[in-house]
Amino acid sequence: PAAIAGLQYTRGMGASMGTFEGQVAFVTGAGSGIGYAMALDLAAGGAAVMCADINEQSAQATAARLEEQGGTAAALGLDVVDSAAVKDALERTRTDFGGLHIVMNNAGVGGSGHGWAQTTDVNLDGVFFGLKHACPMLAESGGGAVVNTASIAGLNALVRPAQYDEDPTLLEGISAYVAAKHGVVGLTRQFAVAFARRGVRVNAVCPGYIVTPMTAPAREPQGGTEFLESLHPMGRLGDAREVASVAAFLASKAASFVTGTAVPVDGGYSAR
């Protein structure tokens, strides 16, 4: 993405050098947006990063950028709605890099333009499969950290222009998105409790409206960006790096007593 394509390790916001030295990370949706920024931040901290995305070319481009900047990375194509494929991808990561310590279940789709089934399949089932397969692997190897990408839509209903609520198709997609993201917060808490004594921490980030390809349909209509900005008390939209920095903290040893949380990264949206 143009907004962060030039990001260098020296500009990382969340992970300082050495934070993740010797660790292996797996990131879904790494080809763009928040997942891309997550991969950069983890690599900046010294992690070897497996970049997974349904668009394999995008994943490869992310991995190539990490390697250009001196990191260790690889890429694979992955559709997170395929449980067996998610398991295979995690096992491949563990085999290729010699371990698995951090998992970012980030892949998702927006509510607009997608129906109930696709929205919930990707945003809820995809996260569940990541948790289902990753948490036991992390526990077997002595522990680790999982960070799920939820949303402010996992904590609140979404406020949208009136036409979204008046159009049954648009309302269905948004409703599916809100339901799925609330489910992600619930899954985060459930797996955190289930694996807490096995050394696996599970948390979620809840972004507000971030400048990424996913939010483009809401930002592009006349007045769209201004409307979205007005929903955030800080008066602006977020940057993918701001979300990635919080995710990096949750994955790091600095958050060793933090599990089961859903952290808003939303410019005050959820505080209203």
Side-chain angles (χ1 to χ4, degrees), residues 1-241:
I4 53 178
L7 180 63
Q8 300 293 319
Y9 285 173
T10 54
R11 294 177 60 194
M13 297 173 65
S16 58
M17 294 300 293
T19 300
F20 302 115
E21 199 67 41
Q23 297 188 50
V24 175
F26 175 85
V27 182
T28 66
S32 65
I34 292 171
Y36 176 81
M38 286 175 167
L40 288 172
D41 233 6
L42 290 164
V49 183
M50 179 63 82
C51 304
D53 199 283
I54 194 168
N55 184 329
E56 187 170 358
Q57 287 186 327
S58 295
Q60 291 172 343
T62 299
R65 178 167 293 277
L66 301 188
E67 292 188 324
E68 287 171 4
Q69 297 182 359
T72 300
L76 52 82
L78 176 64
D79 186 348
V80 296
V81 305
D82 185 337
S83 179
V86 172
K87 182 179 181 181
D88 289 346
L90 289 163
E91 290 178 340
R92 174 178 163 183
T93 301
R94 186 168 59 175
T95 298
D96 289 358
F97 288 131
L100 182 65
H101 308 92
I102 298 166
V103 173
M104 301 273 181
N105 290 315
N106 168 76
V109 296
S112 301
H114 302 280
W116 181 275
Q118 183 181 11
T119 302
T120 55
D121 282 352
V122 177
N123 291 345
L124 183 58
D125 292 8
V127 172
F128 171 68
F129 296 145
L131 290 163
K132 172 184 176 181
H133 298 303
C135 287
M137 291 184 191
L138 294 171
E140 289 168 7
S141 61
V146 179
V147 181
N148 302 318
T149 300
S151 168
I152 50 171
L155 304 173
N156 306 276
L158 290 179
V159 179
R160 302 300 298 270
Q163 63 265 29
Y164 282 82
D165 296 332
E166 295 167 358
D167 185 322
T169 301
L170 293 174
L171 181 57
E172 177 182 327
I174 292 170
S175 299
Y177 188 81
V178 171
K181 293 301 186 177
H182 271 70
V184 170
V185 172
L187 287 173
T188 298
R189 292 170 176 158
Q190 190 59 52
F191 274 82
V193 170
F195 283 87
R197 291 186 179 273
R198 300 179 66 184
V200 180
R201 296 183 301 102
V202 184
N203 292 289
V205 287
C206 297
Y209 284 93
I210 310 299
V211 180
T212 67
M214 184 183 292
T215 63
R219 291 185 284 109
E220 288 172 352
Q222 184 174 0
T225 295
E226 291 77 10
F227 173 77
L228 296 179
E229 289 174 342
S230 74
L231 301 177
H232 302 73
M234 291 181 70
R236 66 174 178 87
L237 305 184
D239 186 289
R241 292 169 296 178

